[in-house]
Amino acid sequence: MSNRKLNVFLPILFAIVLALGMYLGHKMPGANTGAQTLLFSRGARAPLQEVMDLLKFKYVDTLQVADLQQEAIEGLLSHLDPHSVYIPPSHLQEVNEDLEGRFQGIGVEFNIIADTVNVISVVAGGPSETAGVQSGDKIIKVNDTLVAGNGISAEKIRKLLRGPKNSKVQVTMLRKQKMLPIQIIRGDIPLYSIDASYMATPQIGYIKISKFAGTTYQEFMDAIRKLEKAGMTKLVVDLRQNPGGYLDAATRIADELLDDNKLILYTKGQSYPRTDYKCEKPGLFEKGELAILTDEGSASASEILAGAVQDWDRGTIIGRRTFGKGLVQEQFDLSNGGALRLTIARYYIPSGRSIQKSYANGREAYDEDILNRFNHGEFVSKDSIHPLDTVPYKTAGGRIVYGGGGITPDIFIPFDTSRFSNILTGMYSRNTFSNFAYQYYNSHREDFSRYKDPTQFTNQFQVSNELYNSYKSFAAKDSIRGIENIKPRDEAEIKSRIKALLARQIWSYAGFYQSLNKDDEMMRKAIEVLNNNTPLK
C-alpha cells in the first residue's frame, strides 16, 4: 500500500520541486546574469560591445583596440565624479606599490643631472648598500644598456633597475673617475609614509605623514613609541600635502588619538548600507595635547583624521582649508590587467557633515578649484573662506562647523606668497636647489661628518657666506636670472632651502623636515598653541 501511494505521489512531488526550483532560481540575485543566460539563450550584446566588435573586425584600417577601449572607458567615467578613474595595465603596478608601501628593486634614489643618472641616496640596509653603492655614484650602464649621455628618462631607468626579488642586475658605476662594475641582488624596498618623527621641543613630538598606505599605521605606532620614550607629552601631526590613501589606515590612527568608542566616520552609498567606523581599543595617545597641520593638499584620508579630531574637539587644526574629498573608492581588477577605481560611497565625519566639494560643474572646474582659491585670496586671508554648505553642524563642544568643501582650520595660517618670487620660481622649476645640494655635499662630505644627527645639524649648521656665494655662482651657470638683485626675503628662503636639502642628503626626509620646520610659520604656531594650552573656541 505504501509503495502504491509513493508511485502515485512521486510524479506530483517531482513536479512541485521542479516548479519551486525554477521560481526560486528566477528570484535569486544574479539568476539572470551571464552564466544563466548562456544555458538557455544567446543573449543580446550591449551596444558598446557591438560597436567595439565591429571596429575590431570590420573597420577599413588596423586599429589599436586597447587604446580605443581605454578612451571609451574614460569617456564613460567622465560623466561620473572626478575620483572614479581607470588605471591602465601599464600603471597599475606602480599605483599598487605606492599604496602597499613597498616595491621590488635595488633601493636607490636617483636624479638625472646633465644627462647623467646620479645616485642621490641609498636605502639603509637595502640591496644597493649591501652591494657597496654610495651616494654620489653615477650610473653609466645597466646590464648591457648604456644609460649615460643618451637622453635617458626617469621612467626608463626605473624599468631597468626594478625587477623581481632575488633577481640580479649588473650596474656599472662611475666613482671618482673610476668605473666600478657592481652586481646587485634585487629585494623588497620599503616606501615609507612617515617622512619624519622627532622631538620639536623637550615635550612636543612631531610626525609627518605623507600618505596613508598599507604600512602607515605600524610606522605611526613605531614613531609614537619612540617619541614617548623621548619624553613626548604633546604631539603635532603634519598632514600637509597628504593626498590620502587607505581609509583603514586613517581610522586606525584616529583610534590611537580618540578615547572610548567614539565614532570616527560613517560611510553610505546607494548600493552600500551605512557602515560606522568607531574606536575599538585604548589608544597610545588619547590624552596628550594635539595639533594637526593641514593645507589645500590635505585630502581624503587626511581629512578623515583631521575631521574626527576637530569634530570631537580633540585637538587644534592649524593651517588652511583642506582639499574637500569626501568620497570612498573601491578598486576592481579588470580582465585586461588594468583596474577600475570606482566611487561607491560618501563618508561623513562625526558631526554628520560631508566635506566633499561640489563637482556639479564638471571635472575641469573641479580641478581648477585650488587655483581659484588662490586667485580669490583664500590662501592669504581667512575672511575669504566662505562655507559652501550653509547648513551648520556642531562639534562635541558645541562649536559651529560646515561641510561641503573641506575642513576649515581652527587657526588660519596664510600662504607665504613671497616664497614664489620670479627668481625663486626659476630655481624651483629648474631643480637648482637639489642639484646644488647634491654636488656640494658630495664634494664636502668631511665637513658634515661632525654632525651626529638631524637635531645637532639643525641647531648648529649655518649657511656661510662662502656656501651662499657658491650657490649663487651655480645658479647663474644654471641660467637663473636676477642673481645680482636677490632681495633679503629671497636670500632667507634660499639659505633655508639649501640647509634643508643638505640635511636630506645625509638623513633623507627626516633631516629635511626637521631642518625646514625650524623656520616654518605653521610649525611655530603649533608649538605656541601647545605650549600655551590655547583653548578651542
Side-chain angles (χ1 to χ4, degrees), residues 216-285:
T216 305
Y217 172 70
Q218 188 57 54
E219 291 179 52
F220 182 81
M221 296 294 283
D222 293 341
I224 285 284
R225 292 187 179 104
K226 180 191 75 172
L227 294 175
E228 287 187 330
K229 286 182 180 179
M232 179 185 71
T233 58
K234 305 174 184 182
L235 175 63
V236 178
V237 177
D238 192 345
L239 299 178
R240 287 176 289 181
Q241 296 300 308
N242 182 323
Y246 288 135
L247 182 149
D248 177 67
T251 57
R252 294 179 73 186
I253 290 175
D255 197 349
E256 299 298 328
L257 305 176
L258 301 173
D259 59 10
D260 300 327
N261 66 334
K262 285 184 169 64
L263 178 70
I264 300 170
L265 80 153
Y266 66 89
T267 60
K268 187 169 59 175
Q270 178 176 323
S271 301
Y272 289 79
R274 170 169 170 160
T275 302
D276 289 0
Y277 295 80
K278 294 183 177 182
C279 296
E280 298 179 345
K281 61 182 181 62
L284 281 185
F285 197 79

Side-chain angles (χ1 to χ4, degrees), residues 220-514:
F220 182 81
M221 296 294 283
D222 293 341
I224 285 284
R225 292 187 179 104
K226 180 191 75 172
L227 294 175
E228 287 187 330
K229 286 182 180 179
M232 179 185 71
T233 58
K234 305 174 184 182
L235 175 63
V236 178
V237 177
D238 192 345
L239 299 178
R240 287 176 289 181
Q241 296 300 308
N242 182 323
Y246 288 135
L247 182 149
D248 177 67
T251 57
R252 294 179 73 186
I253 290 175
D255 197 349
E256 299 298 328
L257 305 176
L258 301 173
D259 59 10
D260 300 327
N261 66 334
K262 285 184 169 64
L263 178 70
I264 300 170
L265 80 153
Y266 66 89
T267 60
K268 187 169 59 175
Q270 178 176 323
S271 301
Y272 289 79
R274 170 169 170 160
T275 302
D276 289 0
Y277 295 80
K278 294 183 177 182
C279 296
E280 298 179 345
K281 61 182 181 62
L284 281 185
F285 197 79
E286 292 183 349
K287 302 300 180 184
E289 291 181 54
L290 177 66
I292 307 286
L293 308 185
T294 66
D295 65 8
E296 53 285 340
S298 307
S300 190
S302 294
E303 295 173 292
I304 289 173
L305 180 56
V309 168
Q310 185 177 62
D311 281 1
W312 285 112
D313 295 305
R314 169 66 183 90
T316 306
I317 311 301
I318 300 173
R320 292 185 295 278
R321 180 161 68 102
T322 61
F323 182 87
K325 179 179 180 292
L327 302 174
V328 180
Q329 287 74 46
E330 186 172 342
Q331 187 164 305
F332 300 90
D333 292 334
L334 302 177
S335 59
N336 70 343
L340 176 64
R341 188 170 288 175
L342 185 66
T343 296
I344 59 167
R346 295 179 182 270
Y347 72 75
Y348 302 82
I349 51 181
S351 61
R353 55 183 168 144
S354 166
I355 53 86
Q356 174 63 45
K357 61 186 177 183
S358 173
Y359 47 87
N361 294 325
R363 294 198 178 195
E364 185 175 350
Y366 188 85
D367 293 338
E368 292 176 350
D369 172 66
I370 300 299
L371 179 60
N372 289 335
R373 293 190 203 180
F374 179 83
N375 292 334
H376 295 158
E378 181 179 320
F379 280 24
V380 296
S381 172
K382 185 177 182 179
D383 293 337
S384 297
I385 303 176
H386 301 293
L388 302 180
D389 187 346
T390 58
V391 178
Y393 296 85
K394 289 187 177 182
T395 68
R399 295 184 301 125
I400 299 297
V401 289
Y402 295 92
I407 293 168
T408 300
D410 303 311
I411 297 175
F412 176 80
I413 302 295
F415 180 79
D416 186 1
T417 55
S418 66
R419 291 178 53 197
F420 287 88
S421 63
N422 289 336
I423 190 168
L424 289 175
T425 300
M427 292 174 179
Y428 284 122
S429 63
R430 294 185 64 82
N431 215 24
T432 307
F433 288 117
S434 296
N435 293 344
F436 172 78
Y438 167 76
Q439 294 190 13
Y440 187 88
Y441 170 73
N442 283 295
S443 59
H444 296 79
R445 282 176 182 261
E446 291 301 318
D447 296 342
F448 296 94
S449 60
R450 74 186 77 166
Y451 302 105
K452 63 179 182 179
D453 56 38
T455 300
Q456 184 184 17
F457 178 88
T458 299
N459 293 334
Q460 297 180 7
F461 181 82
Q462 299 294 327
V463 176
S464 65
N465 288 333
E466 181 184 0
L467 172 55
Y468 180 58
N469 289 330
S470 295
Y471 174 76
K472 288 196 294 183
S473 298
F474 182 90
K477 292 178 182 177
D478 199 30
S479 302
I480 301 298
R481 297 179 179 179
I483 297 296
E484 64 281 357
N485 297 315
I486 294 178
K487 297 178 180 179
R489 184 84 182 209
D490 288 344
E491 180 178 334
E493 173 69 15
I494 289 170
K495 288 182 176 180
S496 175
R497 185 64 51 165
I498 290 173
K499 180 178 177 178
L501 287 167
L502 287 171
R504 182 177 181 270
Q505 282 293 147
I506 311 169
W507 297 286
S508 191
Y509 284 109
F512 175 80
Y513 283 108
Q514 186 163 352

Side-chain angles (χ1 to χ4, degrees), residues 23-245:
Y23 175 80
L24 291 176
H26 176 73
K27 291 295 183 182
M28 282 177 65
N32 291 317
T33 59
Q36 182 79 3
T37 303
L38 288 174
L39 289 173
F40 298 104
S41 68
R42 183 176 178 181
R45 290 175 297 162
L48 180 60
Q49 187 59 53
E50 286 184 288
V51 172
M52 293 303 299
D53 288 346
L54 288 170
L55 290 175
K56 183 177 180 179
F57 296 111
K58 300 294 185 181
Y59 189 64
V60 61
D61 295 321
T62 302
L63 296 173
Q64 297 295 326
V65 177
D67 293 341
L68 288 177
Q69 288 175 334
Q70 180 170 337
E71 289 185 24
I73 293 170
E74 291 172 350
L76 286 171
L77 296 178
S78 68
H79 295 279
L80 307 182
D81 69 279
H83 300 288
S84 290
V85 295
Y86 170 69
I87 306 171
S90 58
H91 294 162
L92 184 60
Q93 180 179 356
E94 183 179 352
V95 170
N96 287 343
E97 286 173 347
D98 190 51
L99 284 176
E100 289 168 1
R102 65 175 59 87
F103 69 94
Q104 293 181 345
I106 68 170
V108 297
E109 182 180 357
F110 65 86
N111 198 1
I112 300 175
I113 306 172
D115 215 17
T116 302
V117 182
N118 295 265
V119 176
I120 302 297
S121 63
V122 182
V123 174
S128 288
E129 185 182 68
T130 302
V133 178
Q134 298 178 8
S135 171
D137 288 349
K138 303 179 187 303
I139 302 177
I140 306 302
K141 290 175 64 177
V142 179
N143 291 324
D144 295 327
T145 302
L146 181 69
V147 298
N150 65 347
I152 189 71
S153 67
E155 182 178 359
K156 186 175 181 181
I157 191 68
R158 272 194 294 268
K159 288 181 178 178
L160 289 170
L161 295 175
R162 291 189 179 188
K165 182 179 180 180
N166 295 325
S167 63
K168 297 177 182 179
V169 59
Q170 188 77 22
V171 181
T172 303
M173 300 286 191
L174 177 63
R175 181 186 304 165
K176 296 180 179 180
Q177 308 307 314
K178 291 184 178 180
M179 291 290 188
L180 299 175
I182 300 177
Q183 187 180 82
I184 305 172
I185 301 175
R186 297 182 178 101
D188 285 325
I189 310 302
L191 289 170
Y192 295 113
S193 49
I194 302 292
D195 282 344
S197 61
Y198 64 92
M199 294 298 294
T201 75
Q203 292 82 35
I204 299 174
Y206 169 91
I207 298 177
K208 168 70 175 178
I209 308 177
S210 63
K211 61 187 173 185
F212 289 88
T215 59
T216 305
Y217 172 70
Q218 188 57 54
E219 291 179 52
F220 182 81
M221 296 294 283
D222 293 341
I224 285 284
R225 292 187 179 104
K226 180 191 75 172
L227 294 175
E228 287 187 330
K229 286 182 180 179
M232 179 185 71
T233 58
K234 305 174 184 182
L235 175 63
V236 178
V237 177
D238 192 345
L239 299 178
R240 287 176 289 181
Q241 296 300 308
N242 182 323

